[in-house]
Amino acid sequence: MSRPSSVHRVAVLALDDVVVGDLGVAAEVLGRTRLANGRTPYDVRVVAERATVRAGAVDLRVRDHLDQLRQAQTVVVPGRADPTAATPPAVLRALHGAADQGARIASICVGAFVLAEAGLLDGLRATTHWAAAGELARLHPRIDVDPNVLYVDNGQILTSAGAAAGFDLLLHVVQRDHGSAVAADTARSVVMPLTRKGGQAQFIAPRPPRRDPDNLAPLLDWIETHHHRPLTLADIAHQASMSARSLNRRFRELTGTTPMSWLRNTRIRHAQVLLETTNENVDAISGLVGFGSPTTFRDHFRTVVGTTPRHYRQTFRSGHQHG
DNA sequence: CCTTCGTTCCGCCATG
DNA sequence: CACATGGCGGAACGAA
């Protein structure tokens, strides 16, 4: 028909009780993306098993059927009100089909549970909404759950934390596909400044009133404010009035990670903010966020973020009209 | 790249 | 009895 070869097809999966915010993020960010020549690189379609989808207070009329998933080069899976609700078999089959054909699959928030149910996250690092991270790790032990990052890019499979982190993930996708200039334009278009205020936005968000016999939040706050010091596991355990053994165990249960890994991610997150918002050189930032040496900082930065600190700053800056 | 040495993490098990 | 804690040891990991 009409030149579909140059269009990148995106299917946004609308399951029952989909979180409309997540759905909106997916549809808006990619749908609003424009290339330098004004063309729209993404053909975004919301797909569902049935024409009407419940979504909290509203019903959605969905125009495209689940079958369209097969044609998509990118599939986005938003969260659902009940993260652990069983996913219809036809949906899981469709996801498998898309993955087998090499489609990129990205989840937002607790949409990661759907990917997990499909087995697409086995053996991979992944993230989800921080309050659900422990549950995800418990239900799917083969997933390396990291609740302390905004998103995780495994190449074909991507996961992001809360809805706001979904913005970051999709802007990252745009940047990967079309470069940082296009991504910066998209960010402006959706009025989402590329500046994110540290990942700790995740933690000042609604504190869950749910039961918390052992609440790690105060300890995580303490790590947040002391990450720049040369902390050891013993230091953190002492702060929590726990043995190192118990701390490791509780941490794994409640967050899916280990204390030192959490600390490392906290440091990297702060380093990212400093790279974005200051002119301190990389070595100085390394020290400011608590790394023992610039070498280890670069090492960790690469494994967490995927690029070098210098390149990260460069691509971030290039998207801004000098500021 | 390697090598050395300290740290971290988790299974196991005794203890409360 | 169920359950949580934490010490021990060793494999894996990280720093330099």
Side-chain angles (χ1 to χ4, degrees), chain A residues 226-233 235 263 267 290-292:
Chain A
H226 294 82
H227 67 92
H228 52 94
R229 288 172 30 191
L231 299 178
T232 66
L233 183 71
D235 294 333
L263 172 62
R267 286 170 167 165
F291 284 100

Side-chain angles (χ1 to χ4, degrees), chain A residues 273-292:
Chain A
V273 174
L274 291 177
L275 286 166
E276 293 168 9
T277 60
T278 74
N279 289 314
E280 297 287 337
N281 65 43
V282 174
D283 285 12
I285 289 175
S286 163
L288 285 172
V289 300
F291 284 100

Side-chain angles (χ1 to χ4, degrees), chain A residues 3-12 30 41-45 47 67-76 95 97-106 155-158 173 176-178:
Chain A
R3 307 297 62 74
S5 55
S6 62
V7 187
H8 185 115
R9 290 227 178 178
V10 179
V12 181
L30 296 181
Y42 300 109
D43 175 12
V44 180
R45 304 184 182 202
V47 307
D67 293 344
Q68 296 286 320
L69 215 64
R70 310 271 177 192
Q71 272 88 47
Q73 282 94 57
T74 295
V75 176
V76 185
L95 282 173
D100 289 346
Q101 288 174 18
R104 183 168 53 193
I105 301 183
Q156 190 188 356
I157 308 290
L158 306 89
V173 165
R176 228 175 65 175
D177 290 349
H178 302 288

Side-chain angles (χ1 to χ4, degrees), chain A residues 28-169:
Chain A
E28 288 298 305
V29 173
L30 296 181
R32 282 173 174 268
T33 298
R34 296 287 182 279
L35 301 182
N37 62 15
R39 298 245 334 276
T40 59
Y42 300 109
D43 175 12
V44 180
R45 304 184 182 202
V46 175
V47 307
E49 261 189 301
R50 289 181 305 280
T52 304
V53 173
R54 266 181 300 135
V58 300
D59 285 342
L60 303 175
R61 294 268 322 268
V62 179
R63 290 196 296 270
D64 289 288
H65 188 260
L66 184 63
D67 293 344
Q68 296 286 320
L69 215 64
R70 310 271 177 192
Q71 272 88 47
Q73 282 94 57
T74 295
V75 176
V76 185
V77 181
R80 295 169 297 167
D82 177 5
T84 58
T87 306
V91 171
L92 295 178
R93 278 197 301 275
L95 282 173
H96 274 131
D100 289 346
Q101 288 174 18
R104 183 168 53 193
I105 301 183
S107 69
I108 297 176
C109 197
V110 292
F113 282 78
V114 177
L115 304 196
E117 195 179 348
L120 295 174
L121 296 179
D122 284 348
L124 296 180
R125 206 160 70 87
T127 191
T128 186
H129 189 281
W130 66 273
E135 183 75 359
L136 183 64
R138 202 172 319 119
L139 289 175
H140 304 278
R142 297 202 52 210
I143 304 174
D144 179 10
V145 180
D146 187 344
N148 200 26
V149 295
L150 290 168
Y151 57 82
V152 176
D153 180 357
N154 284 299
Q156 190 188 356
I157 308 290
L158 306 89
T159 52
S160 62
F167 271 107
D168 290 283
L169 173 64

